[in-house]
Amino acid sequence: MMPNMSLTTPFAVYVHWPFCLSKCPYCDFNSHVRHGGIDEARFLRGYETEIATTAALVPGRTVSSIFFGGGTPSLMQPATVQTILDCIAKHWTIAPDAEVTLEANPTSVEATRFRGYRSAGVNRVSLGVQSLDDAALKELGRLHSAQEALDAVAVARSIFDRYSFDLIYARPQQTTDAWERELTRAIAEAAEHLSLYQLTIEPNTPFFGLHKAGKLNIPGEDLARDLYDLTQTVCAKAGLPAYEISNHARQGAECRHNLIYWRGHDYAGIGPGAHGRLTIEGRRVATETDKRPEAWLLRVEESGAGLTVSEKLTPGETADEYLLMGLRLAEGIDPERYSALSGRALDPARISILRSEGAVETTADGRLRVTQSGFPVLDAVVADLAA
Ligand SMILES: C[S@@+](CC[C@H](N)C(=O)[O-])C[C@H]1O[C@@H](n2cnc3c(N)ncnc32)[C@H](O)[C@@H]1O
Ligand code: SF4
């Protein structure tokens, strides 16, 4: 008999809002610009329908985290957020201490909606500040200035107990000195959590074309490594150590939602292009919905869900996902859970080589984790260990 999933494992709901005011030239997230506007009420009905359909697949779960991501969820009306939260509460149980995060762009217009989001039930915001340098913001194609972003952070601070913001580093022309100053300034504005992402050049973005044409002078491997090391040192000193490769928090202030992904628990993906991982009849199922907003909406209206993928994962795939996600965390993975999921243990010979190279270590309680010097080559470490 399966254990009662509603009591034994954390469960999260991810809601994707796929619209943005403009497309940033580095971004390959599922985001779309609709100059003519969208029918928000009709989309809302689509979200409600998809929540009901998904809840029928995994009934009786207790939701410990909800995350509105994008795209730009801060373009949603607070009433839309409220209705989605009410709908989640109608179909599952929301834990009394659930974390409810909304990703917001830091413009003054969006900050005016923060109070409405709080009344709707949002208790944490994550702001895409990206940089505190106006020239860099311009180059990143952002619609806000550094001051506007700082003002939005101040509004967030006055309304929410918990907030975080994102910065992108290893940007074109960035020096270690300039990044140290910017990061120090950012830490002064941060409370408990910061996401610090190295710029990645994603295929099919304008930055990819510029980079290929030699018009984007991004840091080479050595400078990128120096910027990463500097980030770790400055944040650790300020009491914000990395708990995941790009995420820093004071102890206990980690983003619970992302921990659910990285620790290999279940989450429902709602909205265009959302991914989910659900345990159905004892099997882990990967779900994915249509990325195109209007096509997703039509699918939902016709069939109740926007699903394009619903695939039962093999034990090996489930275990490798646990490895891939879990090794991003400073706490690492439990090798016994890996064995239980895959039916075979991690290769001790491969672990031993990686350990001798200083890339991984085993903690006193038997967990396997990537070291500070292993993190910059995390992909290679995972590839080495995976089945
Ligand atoms: C889903 S995005 C959306 C957040 C929100 N729409 C915004 O732009 O403020 C989440 C974060 O991913 C990061 N990001 C997006 N594309 C990136 C890239 N190519 N390299 C590094 N970070 C990136 C940004 O820091 C961004 O805030
Ligand atoms: S970075 Fe944010 S605002 Fe820019 S296109 Fe991506 S999702 Fe939209």
Side-chain angles (χ1 to χ4, degrees):
M1 169 120 173
M2 285 289 295
N4 184 339
M5 297 288 287
S6 67
L7 296 177
T8 53
T9 52
F11 175 62
V13 180
Y14 175 75
V15 181
H16 190 82
W17 189 257
F19 303 109
C20 290
L21 286 182
S22 68
K23 185 83 192 174
C24 305
Y26 54 86
C27 177
D28 81 335
F29 281 83
N30 186 32
S31 59
H32 305 261
V33 179
R34 294 288 179 262
H35 293 297
I38 57 143
D39 185 343
E40 189 163 332
R42 186 171 161 198
F43 270 94
L44 174 58
R45 285 194 295 279
Y47 283 84
E48 290 181 284
T49 303
E50 191 161 68
I51 288 166
T53 308
T54 310
L57 292 173
V58 282
R61 304 291 306 255
T62 298
V63 179
S64 38
S65 171
I66 299 166
F67 194 104
F68 292 88
T72 305
S74 51
L75 295 176
M76 296 165 96
Q77 297 301 320
T80 302
V81 172
Q82 168 96 61
T83 306
I84 291 175
L85 289 175
D86 289 347
C87 183
I88 293 171
K90 190 170 127 194
H91 292 283
W92 287 295
T93 302
I94 301 184
D97 62 346
E99 177 183 273
V100 184
T101 306
L102 183 133
E103 230 170 37
N105 283 30
T107 72
S108 52
V109 177
E110 286 157 302
T112 60
R113 299 193 193 104
F114 288 0
R115 203 165 286 285
Y117 294 139
R118 195 188 67 174
S119 305
V122 172
N123 54 29
R124 181 176 182 273
V125 282
S126 173
L127 295 151
V129 169
Q130 319 308 1
S131 171
L132 294 176
D133 177 284
D134 281 333
L137 287 170
K138 202 164 168 210
E139 186 164 28
L140 291 171
R142 301 294 293 179
L143 298 178
H144 55 86
S145 65
Q147 190 54 52
E148 207 176 352
L150 289 172
D151 291 346
V153 169
V155 176
R157 184 185 302 124
S158 73
I159 293 177
F160 296 98
D161 290 340
R162 300 184 66 199
Y163 68 90
S164 174
F165 58 88
D166 301 350
L167 295 177
I168 296 179
Y169 71 101
R171 302 186 308 253
Q173 278 97 39
Q174 195 172 33
T175 63
T176 47
D177 283 353
W179 173 231
E180 185 167 6
R181 280 194 300 277
E182 189 176 351
L183 181 56
T184 305
R185 175 89 182 86
I187 288 171
E189 296 290 335
E192 52 163 41
H193 192 286
L194 270 181
S195 300
L196 304 169
Y197 300 110
Q198 287 205 37
L199 176 66
T200 51
I201 303 298
E202 305 289 350
N204 303 317
T205 61
F207 266 24
F208 188 82
L210 285 173
H211 185 239
K212 220 169 140 196
K215 292 181 182 159
L216 207 61
N217 180 17
I218 57 163
E221 217 173 281
D222 289 347
L223 178 54
R225 177 66 197 264
D226 289 346
L227 290 163
Y228 172 80
D229 288 343
L230 175 70
T231 305
Q232 307 314 305
T233 314
V234 171
C235 287
K237 222 161 109 189
L240 288 163
Y243 67 97
E244 189 264 355
I245 187 160
S246 307
N247 283 279
H248 298 253
R250 302 202 187 285
Q251 208 179 355
E254 297 85 3
C255 172
R256 278 182 254 155
H257 188 86
N258 286 337
L259 284 178
I260 286 176
Y261 299 162
W262 296 321
R263 288 178 176 162
H265 297 304
D266 278 12
Y267 53 97
I270 307 293
H275 292 234
R277 290 290 181 277
L278 303 171
T279 304
I280 302 172
E281 292 167 359
R283 282 290 293 272
R284 189 138 159 108
V285 177
T287 66
E288 202 175 321
T289 57
D290 200 318
K291 290 178 85 162
R292 301 161 302 164
E294 291 75 14
W296 169 85
L297 186 56
L298 286 175
R299 276 179 192 262
V300 174
E301 288 173 344
E302 280 162 17
S303 72
L307 288 180
T308 49
V309 176
S310 176
E311 185 193 333
K312 283 187 184 142
L313 298 179
T314 64
E317 287 168 337
T318 306
D320 281 345
E321 256 191 17
Y322 172 59
L323 187 74
L324 179 77
M325 300 303 268
L327 285 182
R328 298 167 63 123
L329 290 169
E331 69 184 26
I333 60 144
D334 173 3
E336 284 180 12
R337 183 162 165 216
Y338 179 90
S339 307
L341 288 170
S342 75
R344 64 164 196 92
L346 286 164
D347 183 349
R350 290 195 215 170
I351 295 180
S352 160
I353 294 171
L354 288 169
R355 198 185 287 124
S356 69
E357 290 168 353
V360 300
E361 62 192 8
T362 304
T363 63
D365 57 356
R367 294 181 72 85
L368 181 72
R369 69 178 182 206
V370 175
T371 61
Q372 176 91 7
S373 56
F375 268 120
V377 289
L378 177 64
D379 291 349
V381 173
V382 172
D384 225 15
L385 287 172

